[in-house]
Amino acid sequence: MLGGISIWQLLIVLGIIILIFGTKKLRNVGTDLGGAVKGFKKAVHEDEKDDEKKDAEPPHAKVSHEEPGNTYDVQADENRKARNEESK
């Protein structure tokens, strides 16, 4: 089993690790490691969804026939007034 390591040897090593680090620190390490793995899986899954969406929908040109908003070009108005005054 596992290259000549028995279950009893693994339990002894686990016991020594628990004595050295303590259960609280090992629990924190396990929690951090589990959170990192979950975050990694979530990121990979989101990337796969994004790739599927990009492949499914080809890009389309967006054409808008909306009227421009109520904007007022001050410089154009000043230029027009200046030309009108010069032409008089």
Side-chain angles (χ1 to χ4, degrees):
M1 178 179 190
L2 295 177
I5 299 175
S6 70
I7 189 73
W8 295 109
Q9 291 171 334
L10 289 174
L11 289 174
I12 291 171
V13 170
L14 181 63
I16 292 170
I17 291 173
I18 289 173
L19 287 174
I20 292 173
F21 293 109
T23 56
K24 186 174 183 181
K25 187 156 192 150
L26 289 176
R27 189 177 330 133
N28 290 341
V29 169
T31 302
D32 293 342
L33 184 61
V37 170
K38 284 181 183 178
F40 178 76
K41 285 182 179 179
K42 183 178 179 183
V44 168
H45 187 64
E46 287 176 357
D47 285 344
E48 289 175 354
K49 282 185 177 179
D50 291 343
D51 290 342
E52 289 173 2
K53 287 181 182 177
K54 288 179 184 175
D55 292 339
E57 298 178 12
H60 298 287
K62 295 183 180 179
V63 179
S64 175
H65 297 287
E66 297 176 7
E67 293 293 321
N70 294 331
T71 58
Y72 183 73
D73 192 353
V74 175
Q75 291 177 344
D77 190 40
E78 290 174 355
N79 290 340
R80 186 175 42 238
K81 287 179 183 178
R83 277 183 269 161
N84 288 340
E85 288 177 5
E86 289 176 359
S87 64
K88 289 183 184 180

